[in-house]
Amino acid sequence: MANKKSRETAVADAAASPADAVAHDRGPRPGDQVRSPLAFGRETVESIVVAFTLALLFRAFEAEAFVIPTGSMAPTLMGRHKDLVCESCGKPYRVGCSAEVDDPARLVPVARCPNCGLAIDLVRRRGSGLEYDSRYPSFNGDRILVNKFAYDFAEPERWDVVVFRYPEDAKTNYIKRLVGLPGEMVSIAAGDIWTSADGREPRIARKPDQKMLAMLQVVHDSRHQSRPLQAAGWPTAWSDWSAPGRGSPAWVAEEDGRGFAVTCDAGGSAMLRFRHMLPSEDQWEGIRDDGRFIGEVRPEPITDYQPYNAMPSKPHWVGDLAVETVLESRSANGSVTLDLVEAGASHRCTIDLSTGEATLSTADGSEPPRATTAVRGLGSWTILFANVDDELRLFVDGSRVAFDRPTSREDPLQQAIEAEPLEQFVAPGDPTASDLAPAGIAAEAASVRVRDMRVLRDVYYLGTVLGARASEFDERERLDFPLEAGQYFVLGDNSSASKDSRLWNDGHHVDRRLLIGKAMLVFWPHAVPASWALPLKIGRFDLRLPSWPNFARMRFVR
């Protein structure tokens, strides 16, 4: 061993440069800089202290991280929840379970897929009690970064997501969406926000484009088709709307209903329509037991159903809708029309495939707005047509199309309150604009294919107030809240599960001094368990981590 060590030392000495050897042999001399052996440790400690101090300063004055505890802002921001994937159609969705933090015995027993209606049992019996099924773990809420500097030199804006000190307990921080500004009257009616000032008539508060797109919630996604429903003969949500016996042209389903295609000769046209049809619990039970369902297939109006909430609330009809599709044009001529129905009134956007011109038509028969789009000739585009906040909007590949005149309408607040869905049953071939078939795509003298169709709805704000007794709530068709200077009105996006300005005991506003900052981004959603992801292979080794960063859900807060 001694000889081996000597050989290694000799090799190391030989590998050193001559200068190094000389320096090593001569020892320290006058003028040499002698570094203390503790210098490197001291520099490391100093660096850590400086970094920690800067972090504290950054937290105190610039930005701070917060964890979302509840689902009052879902689906914009997630509180403690479970990530689920429907066993029937493969649709991913989430259900909140914040209550278990305060009381572990308050389990969420079941979740229901918003796309096909299949229920998933989340608990199982163990002895005389119940416990969660280990296949469906609970995850902590989103971690967000809040800009505490945002409102030092700029005023808060409507639709900002803000963090503030709870007016009834300044030690508690809340996060909500700011919807009312100082000096105005804020009204909640027909699911929308209305504002007025100086005694003028209320006008609907419209969301900016990026806010509106971020707040839309998916009602149906054609990419997720249920094989058990199809095997049982349950009709697809989208179907050709040709009259029986008409013959061609007709939309033909592709990829089990994920897409449709049609070829219309000159003078020919074809309509594809969406109907919201989900099996009941009894019908699903029959499908799972013997592959058959009992009873009729009944289309329903679109409501504010929120799958995140474990306890469903009273449903409310939602008329503010959007339809999105990937359009593939296989011909240089013809036209495509997207149609949305609200309260029995049809709102349409027709795109001429030969020129790219888009034309809007509404039920009031006014002069139609026109615009030039990139949807021209052969090609593929993602198109979204929305009827939200009494305004029609068209987006092509994520960019809004500008029309030559306003595309909004100013309906009176009372008219919005009195509006009701037209629940007239319609069958293929019936041209009636019914809210039971609220979305459609038509082709005329064109050869096109559509796929990845989504039907979306807007947030629906409830006019809920505290009842006469504890834990009781009353719902009003209209609520008015006056705001004075320096006062703001806030609401949660998950209106039926949010304790916000509507429901506070001591006033209904947030003072300017209580605002902490503006939510900027979700920098750390819950990590993905390693069992849900592929192992990381490095050379001959498989690296298995306890969890993976959830990059897909890191996003700016809109």
Side-chain angles (χ1 to χ4, degrees):
M1 291 296 292
N3 293 336
K4 180 179 180 181
K5 184 174 182 180
S6 299
R7 286 196 301 271
E8 290 177 347
T9 304
V11 171
D13 291 342
S17 66
D20 288 338
V22 171
H24 177 73
D25 292 338
R26 66 177 173 83
R29 295 180 179 181
D32 289 347
Q33 292 184 357
V34 181
R35 184 179 293 273
S36 167
L38 299 178
F40 288 106
R42 184 179 67 236
E43 289 180 358
T44 302
V45 172
E46 290 176 350
S47 298
I48 294 174
V49 171
V50 171
F52 185 70
T53 303
L54 291 175
L56 290 178
L57 291 173
F58 187 74
R59 179 182 182 276
F61 298 105
E62 297 293 341
E64 184 175 354
F66 290 86
V67 179
I68 305 300
T70 70
S72 68
M73 282 294 294
T76 303
L77 297 171
M78 297 294 169
R80 186 170 178 81
H81 66 281
K82 295 178 179 292
D83 267 340
L84 306 173
V85 176
C86 179
E87 299 169 356
S88 174
C89 69
K91 169 71 175 175
Y93 64 102
R94 304 168 193 93
V95 61
C97 53
S98 303
E100 68 184 31
V101 176
D102 299 324
D103 184 1
R106 295 181 63 183
L107 306 182
V108 179
V110 67
R112 186 169 182 248
C113 173
N115 201 60
C116 71
L118 177 67
I120 300 178
D121 292 326
L122 303 177
V123 298
R124 59 188 179 187
R125 186 164 296 280
R126 182 177 183 180
S128 59
L130 296 174
E131 67 175 6
Y132 271 136
D133 190 323
S134 59
R135 294 176 298 172
Y136 312 118
S138 300
F139 299 104
N140 289 328
D142 291 334
R143 288 174 170 81
I144 65 170
L145 198 62
V146 176
N147 183 358
K148 302 171 70 174
F149 196 62
Y151 300 136
D152 286 356
F153 298 100
E155 291 301 313
E157 296 182 352
R158 198 187 319 278
W159 309 115
D160 282 353
V161 177
V162 298
V163 174
F164 57 93
R165 296 182 180 87
Y166 180 36
E168 296 180 4
D169 180 7
K171 296 180 181 179
T172 302
N173 295 330
Y174 269 32
I175 182 166
K176 305 292 178 188
R177 192 175 296 276
L178 192 153
V179 301
L181 300 175
E184 65 185 13
M185 175 77 76
V186 177
S187 301
I188 304 175
D192 289 318
I193 303 300
W194 304 71
T195 64
S196 59
D198 302 325
R200 294 191 292 268
E201 288 297 315
R203 300 183 63 179
I204 196 167
R206 296 188 175 92
K207 307 172 190 69
D209 292 340
Q210 294 305 313
K211 300 284 187 181
M212 186 271 290
L213 292 173
M215 294 170 69
L216 287 175
Q217 301 181 25
V218 178
V219 175
H220 177 80
D221 190 334
S222 74
R223 294 172 297 180
H224 301 283
Q225 297 293 326
S226 168
R227 291 190 179 276
L229 288 184
Q230 291 178 344
W234 192 269
T236 58
W238 288 91
S239 59
D240 178 70
W241 209 247
S242 302
R246 175 188 170 188
S248 60
W251 289 91
V252 178
E254 298 180 346
E255 301 179 85
D256 295 328
R258 292 176 175 82
F260 289 80
V262 68
T263 297
C264 302
D265 296 330
S269 63
M271 172 64 78
L272 182 71
R273 293 212 72 88
F274 167 83
R275 288 178 294 177
H276 190 44
M277 302 176 292
L278 298 181
S280 65
E281 293 183 14
D282 291 339
Q283 288 173 323
W284 256 118
E285 184 176 352
I287 293 171
R288 285 183 293 189
D289 289 345
D290 56 15
R292 296 180 299 175
F293 61 89
I294 301 174
E296 298 178 343
V297 178
R298 295 180 178 274
E300 300 175 346
I302 292 175
T303 69
D304 61 343
Y305 171 70
Q306 174 54 262
Y308 186 91
N309 297 335
M311 297 295 293
S313 58
K314 171 187 172 184
H316 302 81
W317 165 65
V318 180
D320 284 12
L321 306 177
V323 59
E324 181 186 61
T325 185
V326 176
L327 171 68
E328 298 178 9
S329 175
R330 301 171 175 175
S331 62
N333 299 308
S335 65
V336 172
T337 298
L338 286 81
D339 177 37
L340 292 171
V341 176
E342 180 182 11
S346 178
H347 305 276
R348 298 185 176 185
C349 176
T350 300
I351 302 177
D352 189 325
L353 296 177
S354 63
T355 64
E357 182 180 68
T359 305
L360 300 180
S361 59
T362 59
D364 60 13
S366 58
E367 182 68 19
R370 302 178 187 277
T372 300
T373 74
V375 185
R376 183 184 306 110
L378 307 180
S380 176
W381 309 267
T382 298
I383 300 176
L384 184 143
F385 178 50
N387 172 34
V388 173
D389 297 335
D390 289 349
E391 183 176 23
L392 301 180
R393 311 186 209 193
L394 177 66
F395 297 83
V396 176
D397 292 334
S399 298
R400 183 173 178 177
V401 175
F403 285 82
D404 61 358
R405 64 190 63 208
T407 62
S408 59
R409 55 193 185 277
E410 300 297 336
D411 295 337
L413 185 150
Q414 189 59 36
Q415 179 178 325
I417 292 175
E418 296 172 355
E420 294 182 353
L422 178 61
E423 298 187 45
Q424 178 177 329
F425 178 80
V426 288
D430 191 335
T432 303
S434 170
D435 288 273
L436 297 183
I441 303 173
E444 183 173 354
S447 178
V448 296
R449 179 175 183 261
V450 293
R451 59 180 174 84
D452 302 349
M453 295 91 72
R454 296 198 305 165
V455 176
L456 309 103
R457 69 167 179 88
D458 188 22
V459 170
Y460 190 95
Y461 292 109
L462 300 177
T464 306
V465 295
L466 294 173
R469 290 181 289 184
S471 301
E472 282 190 355
F473 301 95
D474 295 331
E475 191 172 322
R476 310 284 174 77
E477 66 177 18
R478 174 178 175 176
L479 292 179
D480 296 320
F481 299 95
L483 298 174
E484 299 179 358
Q487 296 180 349
Y488 298 88
F489 193 83
V490 296
L491 294 174
D493 286 357
N494 188 0
S495 192
S496 62
S498 175
K499 183 180 180 183
D500 45 42
S501 286
R502 303 165 300 167
L503 303 172
W504 295 338
N505 293 311
D506 186 16
H508 300 282
H509 62 270
V510 177
D511 289 332
R512 181 72 164 78
R513 60 182 176 81
L514 296 179
L515 294 179
I516 295 175
K518 178 180 178 180
M520 295 193 305
L521 59 90
V522 177
F523 73 91
W524 192 260
H526 79 78
V528 179
S531 59
W532 291 13
L534 295 175
L536 180 62
K537 190 173 185 63
I538 302 178
R540 296 177 299 167
F541 303 98
D542 287 338
L543 179 62
R544 296 183 180 273
L545 301 177
S547 61
W548 302 79
N550 200 340
F551 295 110
R553 292 190 191 168
M554 296 179 184
R555 63 197 183 277
F556 289 103
V557 178
R558 302 295 185 187

PDB file of all heavy atoms in Angstrom, residues 48 128 144 151 164 166 189 228 249 262 289-290 327 353 382 455 483 504 526 528 532 535 556:
ATOM      1  N   ILE A  48     -24.735  33.872   0.904  1.00  0.00           N
ATOM      2  CA  ILE A  48     -26.042  33.411   1.352  1.00  0.00           C
ATOM      3  C   ILE A  48     -26.777  34.514   2.096  1.00  0.00           C
ATOM      4  O   ILE A  48     -27.969  34.739   1.908  1.00  0.00           O
ATOM      5  CB  ILE A  48     -25.889  32.157   2.230  1.00  0.00           C
ATOM      6  CG1 ILE A  48     -25.364  30.990   1.380  1.00  0.00           C
ATOM      7  CG2 ILE A  48     -27.214  31.787   2.881  1.00  0.00           C
ATOM      8  CD1 ILE A  48     -25.054  29.742   2.188  1.00  0.00           C
ATOM      9  N   SER A 128     -65.956   0.149   9.187  1.00  0.00           N
ATOM     10  CA  SER A 128     -67.243   0.840   9.355  1.00  0.00           C
ATOM     11  C   SER A 128     -67.203   2.257   8.808  1.00  0.00           C
ATOM     12  O   SER A 128     -68.196   2.978   8.870  1.00  0.00           O
ATOM     13  CB  SER A 128     -67.613   0.872  10.840  1.00  0.00           C
ATOM     14  OG  SER A 128     -66.602   1.546  11.591  1.00  0.00           O
ATOM     15  N   ILE A 144     -48.787  31.132  -6.366  1.00  0.00           N
ATOM     16  CA  ILE A 144     -48.768  32.263  -7.285  1.00  0.00           C
ATOM     17  C   ILE A 144     -47.787  33.324  -6.811  1.00  0.00           C
ATOM     18  O   ILE A 144     -47.447  33.397  -5.631  1.00  0.00           O
ATOM     19  CB  ILE A 144     -50.165  32.887  -7.442  1.00  0.00           C
ATOM     20  CG1 ILE A 144     -50.636  33.501  -6.116  1.00  0.00           C
ATOM     21  CG2 ILE A 144     -51.167  31.856  -7.943  1.00  0.00           C
ATOM     22  CD1 ILE A 144     -51.886  34.347  -6.248  1.00  0.00           C
ATOM     23  N   TYR A 151     -49.600  48.539  -7.923  1.00  0.00           N
ATOM     24  CA  TYR A 151     -50.536  49.636  -7.701  1.00  0.00           C
ATOM     25  C   TYR A 151     -49.908  50.840  -7.002  1.00  0.00           C
ATOM     26  O   TYR A 151     -50.614  51.718  -6.510  1.00  0.00           O
ATOM     27  CB  TYR A 151     -51.740  49.131  -6.901  1.00  0.00           C
ATOM     28  CG  TYR A 151     -52.486  48.022  -7.602  1.00  0.00           C
ATOM     29  CD1 TYR A 151     -52.913  46.889  -6.913  1.00  0.00           C
ATOM     30  CD2 TYR A 151     -52.741  48.089  -8.966  1.00  0.00           C
ATOM     31  CE1 TYR A 151     -53.593  45.869  -7.565  1.00  0.00           C
ATOM     32  CE2 TYR A 151     -53.418  47.070  -9.627  1.00  0.00           C
ATOM     33  CZ  TYR A 151     -53.834  45.965  -8.916  1.00  0.00           C
ATOM     34  OH  TYR A 151     -54.504  44.956  -9.568  1.00  0.00           O
ATOM     35  N   PHE A 164     -55.672  40.845  -1.326  1.00  0.00           N
ATOM     36  CA  PHE A 164     -55.978  41.942  -0.394  1.00  0.00           C
ATOM     37  C   PHE A 164     -56.181  41.378   1.005  1.00  0.00           C
ATOM     38  O   PHE A 164     -56.374  40.158   1.191  1.00  0.00           O
ATOM     39  CB  PHE A 164     -57.233  42.701  -0.838  1.00  0.00           C
ATOM     40  CG  PHE A 164     -58.453  41.830  -0.978  1.00  0.00           C
ATOM     41  CD1 PHE A 164     -59.349  41.675   0.074  1.00  0.00           C
ATOM     42  CD2 PHE A 164     -58.712  41.156  -2.162  1.00  0.00           C
ATOM     43  CE1 PHE A 164     -60.461  40.863  -0.048  1.00  0.00           C
ATOM     44  CE2 PHE A 164     -59.828  40.339  -2.302  1.00  0.00           C
ATOM     45  CZ  PHE A 164     -60.711  40.190  -1.246  1.00  0.00           C
ATOM     46  N   TYR A 166     -58.418  40.775   4.080  1.00  0.00           N
ATOM     47  CA  TYR A 166     -59.853  40.605   4.291  1.00  0.00           C
ATOM     48  C   TYR A 166     -60.374  41.727   5.195  1.00  0.00           C
ATOM     49  O   TYR A 166     -59.873  41.900   6.309  1.00  0.00           O
ATOM     50  CB  TYR A 166     -60.092  39.230   4.913  1.00  0.00           C
ATOM     51  CG  TYR A 166     -61.527  38.893   5.207  1.00  0.00           C
ATOM     52  CD1 TYR A 166     -62.566  39.293   4.377  1.00  0.00           C
ATOM     53  CD2 TYR A 166     -61.845  38.125   6.327  1.00  0.00           C
ATOM     54  CE1 TYR A 166     -63.875  38.958   4.657  1.00  0.00           C
ATOM     55  CE2 TYR A 166     -63.150  37.777   6.617  1.00  0.00           C
ATOM     56  CZ  TYR A 166     -64.162  38.200   5.784  1.00  0.00           C
ATOM     57  OH  TYR A 166     -65.452  37.863   6.061  1.00  0.00           O
ATOM     58  N   ALA A 189     -76.569  41.008 -12.359  1.00  0.00           N
ATOM     59  CA  ALA A 189     -77.856  40.611 -12.924  1.00  0.00           C
ATOM     60  C   ALA A 189     -77.621  39.739 -14.142  1.00  0.00           C
ATOM     61  O   ALA A 189     -76.701  39.994 -14.929  1.00  0.00           O
ATOM     62  CB  ALA A 189     -78.695  41.832 -13.298  1.00  0.00           C
ATOM     63  N   PRO A 228     -68.012   3.745 -24.466  1.00  0.00           N
ATOM     64  CA  PRO A 228     -69.200   3.075 -23.917  1.00  0.00           C
ATOM     65  C   PRO A 228     -70.507   3.729 -24.372  1.00  0.00           C
ATOM     66  O   PRO A 228     -71.480   3.024 -24.658  1.00  0.00           O
ATOM     67  CB  PRO A 228     -69.006   3.199 -22.405  1.00  0.00           C
ATOM     68  CG  PRO A 228     -67.528   3.297 -22.223  1.00  0.00           C
ATOM     69  CD  PRO A 228     -67.044   4.079 -23.396  1.00  0.00           C
ATOM     70  N   PRO A 249     -75.869  17.032 -49.819  1.00  0.00           N
ATOM     71  CA  PRO A 249     -74.661  16.818 -49.008  1.00  0.00           C
ATOM     72  C   PRO A 249     -74.999  16.694 -47.520  1.00  0.00           C
ATOM     73  O   PRO A 249     -76.006  17.231 -47.056  1.00  0.00           O
ATOM     74  CB  PRO A 249     -73.836  18.061 -49.287  1.00  0.00           C
ATOM     75  CG  PRO A 249     -74.860  19.126 -49.539  1.00  0.00           C
ATOM     76  CD  PRO A 249     -76.003  18.443 -50.229  1.00  0.00           C
ATOM     77  N   VAL A 262     -67.499  17.555 -45.043  1.00  0.00           N
ATOM     78  CA  VAL A 262     -68.599  17.672 -45.994  1.00  0.00           C
ATOM     79  C   VAL A 262     -68.074  18.294 -47.280  1.00  0.00           C
ATOM     80  O   VAL A 262     -67.135  19.106 -47.247  1.00  0.00           O
ATOM     81  CB  VAL A 262     -69.750  18.521 -45.414  1.00  0.00           C
ATOM     82  CG1 VAL A 262     -69.328  19.985 -45.256  1.00  0.00           C
ATOM     83  CG2 VAL A 262     -71.001  18.416 -46.262  1.00  0.00           C
ATOM     84  N   ASP A 289     -73.855  -1.606 -16.724  1.00  0.00           N
ATOM     85  CA  ASP A 289     -74.280  -2.958 -16.359  1.00  0.00           C
ATOM     86  C   ASP A 289     -74.430  -3.869 -17.579  1.00  0.00           C
ATOM     87  O   ASP A 289     -73.892  -4.977 -17.603  1.00  0.00           O
ATOM     88  CB  ASP A 289     -75.590  -2.905 -15.581  1.00  0.00           C
ATOM     89  CG  ASP A 289     -75.391  -2.330 -14.182  1.00  0.00           C
ATOM     90  OD1 ASP A 289     -74.235  -2.252 -13.737  1.00  0.00           O
ATOM     91  OD2 ASP A 289     -76.403  -1.952 -13.547  1.00  0.00           O
ATOM     92  N   ASP A 290     -75.177  -3.407 -18.575  1.00  0.00           N
ATOM     93  CA  ASP A 290     -75.428  -4.282 -19.724  1.00  0.00           C
ATOM     94  C   ASP A 290     -75.305  -3.585 -21.069  1.00  0.00           C
ATOM     95  O   ASP A 290     -75.768  -4.102 -22.086  1.00  0.00           O
ATOM     96  CB  ASP A 290     -76.820  -4.934 -19.607  1.00  0.00           C
ATOM     97  CG  ASP A 290     -77.941  -3.903 -19.469  1.00  0.00           C
ATOM     98  OD1 ASP A 290     -77.688  -2.702 -19.751  1.00  0.00           O
ATOM     99  OD2 ASP A 290     -79.053  -4.296 -19.092  1.00  0.00           O
ATOM    100  N   LEU A 327     -60.625  24.529 -38.569  1.00  0.00           N
ATOM    101  CA  LEU A 327     -61.255  24.468 -39.884  1.00  0.00           C
ATOM    102  C   LEU A 327     -60.209  24.162 -40.944  1.00  0.00           C
ATOM    103  O   LEU A 327     -59.191  24.842 -41.037  1.00  0.00           O
ATOM    104  CB  LEU A 327     -61.944  25.801 -40.205  1.00  0.00           C
ATOM    105  CG  LEU A 327     -62.466  25.970 -41.631  1.00  0.00           C
ATOM    106  CD1 LEU A 327     -63.646  25.037 -41.898  1.00  0.00           C
ATOM    107  CD2 LEU A 327     -62.865  27.426 -41.891  1.00  0.00           C
ATOM    108  N   LEU A 353     -64.703  31.904 -48.220  1.00  0.00           N
ATOM    109  CA  LEU A 353     -63.405  31.258 -48.386  1.00  0.00           C
ATOM    110  C   LEU A 353     -62.646  31.740 -49.621  1.00  0.00           C
ATOM    111  O   LEU A 353     -61.439  31.523 -49.721  1.00  0.00           O
ATOM    112  CB  LEU A 353     -63.597  29.741 -48.460  1.00  0.00           C
ATOM    113  CG  LEU A 353     -64.166  29.087 -47.193  1.00  0.00           C
ATOM    114  CD1 LEU A 353     -64.382  27.594 -47.420  1.00  0.00           C
ATOM    115  CD2 LEU A 353     -63.248  29.308 -46.002  1.00  0.00           C
ATOM    116  N   THR A 382     -57.449  27.801 -36.715  1.00  0.00           N
ATOM    117  CA  THR A 382     -58.248  27.639 -35.496  1.00  0.00           C
ATOM    118  C   THR A 382     -59.126  28.881 -35.359  1.00  0.00           C
ATOM    119  O   THR A 382     -58.614  30.007 -35.278  1.00  0.00           O
ATOM    120  CB  THR A 382     -57.358  27.485 -34.261  1.00  0.00           C
ATOM    121  OG1 THR A 382     -56.555  26.309 -34.404  1.00  0.00           O
ATOM    122  CG2 THR A 382     -58.206  27.354 -33.002  1.00  0.00           C
ATOM    123  N   VAL A 455     -67.248  23.715 -27.266  1.00  0.00           N
ATOM    124  CA  VAL A 455     -68.289  24.675 -26.891  1.00  0.00           C
ATOM    125  C   VAL A 455     -67.931  25.176 -25.499  1.00  0.00           C
ATOM    126  O   VAL A 455     -67.664  24.378 -24.584  1.00  0.00           O
ATOM    127  CB  VAL A 455     -69.684  24.031 -26.897  1.00  0.00           C
ATOM    128  CG1 VAL A 455     -70.740  25.019 -26.422  1.00  0.00           C
ATOM    129  CG2 VAL A 455     -70.026  23.523 -28.296  1.00  0.00           C
ATOM    130  N   LEU A 483     -70.389  52.244  -4.557  1.00  0.00           N
ATOM    131  CA  LEU A 483     -69.010  52.356  -4.101  1.00  0.00           C
ATOM    132  C   LEU A 483     -68.620  53.816  -3.988  1.00  0.00           C
ATOM    133  O   LEU A 483     -68.941  54.625  -4.866  1.00  0.00           O
ATOM    134  CB  LEU A 483     -68.065  51.644  -5.081  1.00  0.00           C
ATOM    135  CG  LEU A 483     -68.266  50.136  -5.255  1.00  0.00           C
ATOM    136  CD1 LEU A 483     -67.371  49.610  -6.361  1.00  0.00           C
ATOM    137  CD2 LEU A 483     -67.993  49.394  -3.948  1.00  0.00           C
ATOM    138  N   TRP A 504     -70.197  39.621   2.688  1.00  0.00           N
ATOM    139  CA  TRP A 504     -69.530  40.077   3.899  1.00  0.00           C
ATOM    140  C   TRP A 504     -70.528  40.763   4.824  1.00  0.00           C
ATOM    141  O   TRP A 504     -71.471  41.429   4.374  1.00  0.00           O
ATOM    142  CB  TRP A 504     -68.393  41.038   3.544  1.00  0.00           C
ATOM    143  CG  TRP A 504     -67.304  40.368   2.762  1.00  0.00           C
ATOM    144  CD1 TRP A 504     -67.028  39.037   2.714  1.00  0.00           C
ATOM    145  CD2 TRP A 504     -66.331  41.003   1.933  1.00  0.00           C
ATOM    146  NE1 TRP A 504     -65.949  38.787   1.899  1.00  0.00           N
ATOM    147  CE2 TRP A 504     -65.497  39.982   1.401  1.00  0.00           C
ATOM    148  CE3 TRP A 504     -66.080  42.317   1.572  1.00  0.00           C
ATOM    149  CZ2 TRP A 504     -64.439  40.247   0.546  1.00  0.00           C
ATOM    150  CZ3 TRP A 504     -65.012  42.587   0.721  1.00  0.00           C
ATOM    151  CH2 TRP A 504     -64.210  41.565   0.218  1.00  0.00           C
ATOM    152  N   HIS A 526     -49.270  22.243  -8.456  1.00  0.00           N
ATOM    153  CA  HIS A 526     -48.831  21.032  -7.758  1.00  0.00           C
ATOM    154  C   HIS A 526     -47.927  20.192  -8.655  1.00  0.00           C
ATOM    155  O   HIS A 526     -48.113  20.118  -9.874  1.00  0.00           O
ATOM    156  CB  HIS A 526     -50.030  20.210  -7.278  1.00  0.00           C
ATOM    157  CG  HIS A 526     -50.682  19.393  -8.360  1.00  0.00           C
ATOM    158  ND1 HIS A 526     -50.160  18.200  -8.834  1.00  0.00           N
ATOM    159  CD2 HIS A 526     -51.816  19.585  -9.064  1.00  0.00           C
ATOM    160  CE1 HIS A 526     -50.939  17.699  -9.761  1.00  0.00           C
ATOM    161  NE2 HIS A 526     -51.950  18.523  -9.934  1.00  0.00           N
ATOM    162  N   VAL A 528     -46.158  16.951 -10.406  1.00  0.00           N
ATOM    163  CA  VAL A 528     -46.708  15.735 -10.988  1.00  0.00           C
ATOM    164  C   VAL A 528     -46.026  14.542 -10.333  1.00  0.00           C
ATOM    165  O   VAL A 528     -44.793  14.442 -10.370  1.00  0.00           O
ATOM    166  CB  VAL A 528     -46.474  15.693 -12.511  1.00  0.00           C
ATOM    167  CG1 VAL A 528     -47.025  14.406 -13.099  1.00  0.00           C
ATOM    168  CG2 VAL A 528     -47.122  16.906 -13.168  1.00  0.00           C
ATOM    169  N   TRP A 532     -46.872   9.260 -12.616  1.00  0.00           N
ATOM    170  CA  TRP A 532     -47.695   9.740 -13.723  1.00  0.00           C
ATOM    171  C   TRP A 532     -46.855  10.083 -14.953  1.00  0.00           C
ATOM    172  O   TRP A 532     -47.393  10.422 -15.989  1.00  0.00           O
ATOM    173  CB  TRP A 532     -48.465  10.997 -13.307  1.00  0.00           C
ATOM    174  CG  TRP A 532     -49.522  10.757 -12.302  1.00  0.00           C
ATOM    175  CD1 TRP A 532     -49.720   9.638 -11.547  1.00  0.00           C
ATOM    176  CD2 TRP A 532     -50.549  11.671 -11.911  1.00  0.00           C
ATOM    177  NE1 TRP A 532     -50.779   9.790 -10.714  1.00  0.00           N
ATOM    178  CE2 TRP A 532     -51.308  11.033 -10.910  1.00  0.00           C
ATOM    179  CE3 TRP A 532     -50.883  12.966 -12.288  1.00  0.00           C
ATOM    180  CZ2 TRP A 532     -52.402  11.643 -10.294  1.00  0.00           C
ATOM    181  CZ3 TRP A 532     -51.959  13.576 -11.686  1.00  0.00           C
ATOM    182  CH2 TRP A 532     -52.713  12.920 -10.701  1.00  0.00           C
ATOM    183  N   PRO A 535     -39.907   7.898 -16.737  1.00  0.00           N
ATOM    184  CA  PRO A 535     -38.622   8.128 -16.068  1.00  0.00           C
ATOM    185  C   PRO A 535     -37.650   8.834 -16.998  1.00  0.00           C
ATOM    186  O   PRO A 535     -37.717   8.697 -18.222  1.00  0.00           O
ATOM    187  CB  PRO A 535     -38.146   6.711 -15.719  1.00  0.00           C
ATOM    188  CG  PRO A 535     -38.833   5.828 -16.712  1.00  0.00           C
ATOM    189  CD  PRO A 535     -40.171   6.473 -16.968  1.00  0.00           C
ATOM    190  N   PHE A 556     -49.378  32.726 -16.798  1.00  0.00           N
ATOM    191  CA  PHE A 556     -49.747  34.048 -16.291  1.00  0.00           C
ATOM    192  C   PHE A 556     -51.204  34.024 -15.840  1.00  0.00           C
ATOM    193  O   PHE A 556     -52.027  33.301 -16.405  1.00  0.00           O
ATOM    194  CB  PHE A 556     -49.551  35.114 -17.363  1.00  0.00           C
ATOM    195  CG  PHE A 556     -48.103  35.408 -17.658  1.00  0.00           C
ATOM    196  CD1 PHE A 556     -47.491  34.902 -18.793  1.00  0.00           C
ATOM    197  CD2 PHE A 556     -47.356  36.189 -16.788  1.00  0.00           C
ATOM    198  CE1 PHE A 556     -46.164  35.166 -19.065  1.00  0.00           C
ATOM    199  CE2 PHE A 556     -46.019  36.458 -17.051  1.00  0.00           C
ATOM    200  CZ  PHE A 556     -45.419  35.946 -18.192  1.00  0.00           C
TER     201      PHE A 556
END
